[in-house]
Amino acid sequence: MPTETPQIFHGDGWASENPADFLKLFNCAMRQQSITVSNDKSDAFGDYLGTSSQAEVWFKALLSTDKASWPLFVAVFEVRWPPVKIAEKTKAEYEKELLDHVLQSTEVGKKTTLYDRECWSHVAWAAKTLQLATSAGITQNTLMIWQVRSMLPEIVKDLLKDEDYANWAEFTKAVMDLKGSRLVEKQEQHNRQTQELNTLRMDLARIRQHAPAPNPIDALQNQLGRIAISMPISLAAPQTLGTYARTPTTQANQNAQPTYSHQPATTAAPQQPVIVTDELKAKVKLLISLFPHHPDTPAGHMAHAAQIAQWNAKWGDNARVTHETGYPLKPGTATTAAIACCPKESQHV
């Protein structure tokens, strides 16, 4: 084993110096060199002191009786440089430090260094957490586990088993056992979703700058309140029918299901029959392709709001919905094919 040479000791309060550590390191070096005689050790001690330093001045002023034996020499050394008693932390301070030791979401799936070894960030976090819990004296119970677990990133919490942990060792082991590659995969998926949401927000912001309605959601509610569904006229016996008008939503009943009432037609503007032709079918298919149906998710609602804003910008807030204008379906409602088969479901769009 190679001999580790102690750093030169000055004894004048250098920030990098610790008298007690220097004495330990000097003893270790003497043992490695098989120097065990007290006089030999005390004579060699002067070779590890800085020239003209306070330590060298002190050493040269020692009496021969102070160096008669090594234990006596150590006692004289500790009188001059007494060991510093550290300020021990209280249980409450360790508990606070435990709560402040948080694994950041940006650290998930990344590597760091622990004990001079490369490891995953969640492993290093769990090791430090167990040390703090041990210092606080709570390792054998469940105290504060739920608080610390609740502050973990959502990705880590999703992969942890939803179970009660008997103690801190069991909890930190569960975190350490998480596969780093799996966390990397979940983190990349989360980053993609965040990027997509940010892109939708920017697109919606640009649309709002050009749309007449300041708020696409408010414009959607106002537009739905004015929708009227026209009843087709029989080809065999053309006659004037009324329309079905949707009851507008208000602030008080905006969460209620929409209702429809039959409005009698006026004689001034009779309804004309709608002839279903191949050209009309092609136009309807084109309208369907222009308004993709989005799922009932936050991203889906944002995309739907953008469609509404685009529709209002093109046709205006007061325009009526017809087979020529089309209208975006509400996220999570029946699909276009289902509406074609079951017209009653379309009333909930």
Side-chain angles (χ1 to χ4, degrees), residues 202-214 309-310 312-314:
M202 290 188 293
D203 291 343
L204 186 57
R206 285 195 294 267
I207 293 172
R208 284 176 174 173
Q209 292 177 355
H210 301 88
Q310 291 174 339
N312 289 337
K314 180 176 182 180

Side-chain angles (χ1 to χ4, degrees), residues 6 8 90 95 103 134 162 221 229 231-232 247 273 285:
I8 295 297
T90 63
E95 290 179 354
L103 179 63
T134 302
D162 189 12
Q221 292 177 342
I229 302 176
M231 296 294 294
T247 302
K285 289 182 179 179

